[in-house]
Amino acid sequence: MSSATLQGDPSVESFFNVAETETLALFEHLSFEFLEEFDVFAPAQTGRTREHESPEMMRGFLHCYYHDIYGIRPVERELRNTVVWLSCGFDRPPSRDAVDRFLTDLEHVVDNVFDRFVEQAAVGGLLDVTYCIDSTDLRAMPADQDASKCYDPTDDEYYYGYGCTIVSTGSKIPIAAEFTESKQAPEETAMRVTRDALAVATLIWMVGDSTYDTLDWHDHPLTAGGVPVAPYNARNTDDPLDIEYRVEDRITEHSEDVQLKQSALDETYNRRTGIERTNYAVKDCGLGRTHARDRVHARAQVFLALCLRPVVAITNYERGDNSGSTIITV
């Protein structure tokens, strides 16, 4: 049965008129046409056309991730549901090959796709002037041979998986991220993610734990006109300073006009819990456990989960609901 036949069917039209679905709400206030700008989604030079276009394929994957459906076969099965594939904009259900091909192509640009959804959140006014940075753990499937053996000091246990360094702001919205081999990311990753976050919008505060007590990390927000707030780690030097936060020394060295009260720094650092809430929110969107058999597919799934979080936030905001919620109420 064709899409035109279904859409012209009185019963189907009546359904969409009276029964608003979470899937329809999820895509009502967002643009997906930008996906067509990526060369990776263009038709092959041999002239082979795509079975389905990238916007509806992206909507299909986001629908599935919202409903905790992961993997090529489960996604393909879910998109056979008539209401689902019509809600996502398909003219017919996509085949398993089409689902697999889209995810394979998406792996090349998924971080750029995430950036475009963050841009839509920024334009919509969902971001604020306090950024928080932290890393979180990602558990992998036993079949993933690329996963690393990692240690979780919180639960005092070892696990196989990866890590993800995230900068968040606003209502638990990730605005910059990087997939890493383990939760303990190298310093260059923190630098890269921080630079990416600073390119999104203007900030006042950049908050991190003592892991980020390095001169280079502090200098990035300072150069952008923001104030980095990370506890001073006296163990990093043989001649410790009498300060609580590294920025106290950086401000003294670089500016004679700026003064920061200890109470203001303490109050700002307490906002660091925002990144923990963001980590939980993104894990509700599928970040917590990867359902892939190698590092490349795992990274794509991680960024798909990161994409879903601003999509849900924008949807709730535009509908007048709590933008920090991971649930869409219809």
Side-chain angles (χ1 to χ4, degrees):
M1 184 177 292
S2 69
S3 174
T5 302
L6 282 170
Q7 291 172 348
D9 187 292
S11 62
V12 174
E13 183 177 354
S14 175
F15 174 84
F16 280 118
N17 284 338
V18 301
E20 182 181 17
T21 67
E22 291 171 304
T23 301
L24 286 173
L26 193 61
F27 309 133
E28 182 180 1
H29 303 284
L30 287 120
S31 170
F32 291 84
E33 281 61 40
F34 70 85
L35 288 155
E36 298 175 343
E37 300 172 10
F38 293 105
D39 292 339
V40 71
F41 298 127
Q45 294 182 353
T46 57
R48 176 188 175 189
T49 59
R50 288 185 176 272
E51 182 181 346
H52 299 284
E53 298 300 327
S54 50
E56 54 257 37
M57 291 300 302
M58 188 69 190
R59 285 191 286 262
F61 267 93
L62 291 175
H63 161 87
C64 289
Y65 273 51
Y66 179 80
H67 290 282
D68 298 324
I69 299 169
Y70 313 99
I72 300 301
R73 292 182 180 179
V75 167
E76 185 261 336
R77 284 196 298 268
E78 173 68 9
L79 295 181
R80 292 180 198 166
N81 183 303
T82 301
V83 173
V84 172
W85 60 260
L86 281 173
S87 298
C88 293
F90 291 101
D91 58 4
R92 63 187 183 282
S95 66
R96 186 177 302 173
D97 285 345
V99 171
D100 191 14
R101 181 186 178 192
F102 175 76
L103 185 59
T104 299
D105 291 341
L106 183 66
E107 290 165 358
H108 299 286
V109 295
V110 68
D111 47 347
N112 301 111
V113 173
F114 166 65
D115 291 342
R116 298 294 288 269
F117 286 125
V118 171
E119 288 176 12
Q120 293 189 49
V123 170
L126 275 73
L127 311 186
D128 61 32
V129 295
T130 300
Y131 293 3
C132 299
I133 184 171
D134 198 9
S135 297
T136 190
D137 61 294
L138 309 174
R139 307 300 171 101
M141 291 177 59
D144 188 346
Q145 299 299 314
D146 292 343
S148 303
K149 184 178 182 180
C150 307
Y151 176 68
D152 182 357
T154 303
D155 296 326
D156 189 23
E157 67 175 5
Y158 287 91
Y159 66 92
Y160 281 92
Y162 303 97
C164 188
T165 300
I166 299 174
V167 173
S168 76
T169 188
S171 300
K172 299 181 283 189
I173 299 175
I175 60 171
E178 187 52 88
F179 180 83
T180 54
E181 295 294 335
S182 65
K183 180 179 178 180
Q184 301 302 319
E187 183 178 344
E188 55 265 30
T189 298
M191 299 299 101
R192 183 166 61 253
V193 175
T194 299
R195 288 193 296 268
D196 290 345
L198 295 175
V200 173
T202 302
L203 85 163
I204 293 179
W205 306 99
M206 182 79 173
V207 184
D209 63 21
S210 58
T211 303
Y212 302 95
D213 177 29
T214 66
L215 297 178
D216 288 343
W217 182 79
H218 279 74
D219 286 345
H220 282 303
L222 285 170
T223 301
V227 180
V229 182
Y232 179 64
N233 190 347
R235 291 175 296 179
N236 288 344
T237 177
D238 295 330
D239 186 19
L241 301 172
D242 185 21
I243 56 176
E244 293 293 325
Y245 300 94
R246 170 74 66 178
V247 69
E248 297 175 69
D249 178 62
R250 303 307 287 164
I251 290 294
T252 301
E253 181 177 339
H254 290 283
S255 176
E256 298 179 355
D257 301 324
V258 177
Q259 293 185 351
L260 294 172
K261 292 183 178 180
Q262 184 74 46
S263 59
L265 293 173
D266 289 340
E267 179 182 349
T268 301
Y269 185 68
N270 288 336
R271 301 178 198 170
R272 184 182 167 275
T273 55
I275 185 63
E276 297 174 2
R277 292 194 295 270
T278 298
N279 289 342
Y280 286 123
V282 181
K283 287 187 176 183
D284 282 345
C285 295
L287 186 76
R289 180 177 295 276
T290 63
H291 300 262
R293 296 181 180 273
D294 59 60
R295 185 183 188 281
V296 174
H297 284 73
R299 185 177 187 276
Q301 290 190 2
V302 164
F303 271 93
L304 267 171
L306 290 166
C307 287
L308 179 58
R309 177 62 205 128
V311 167
V312 172
I314 292 169
T315 298
N316 279 326
Y317 176 79
E318 293 292 345
R319 291 168 60 84
D321 295 328
N322 177 13
S323 59
S325 175
T326 58
I327 303 298
I328 296 171
T329 304
V330 295

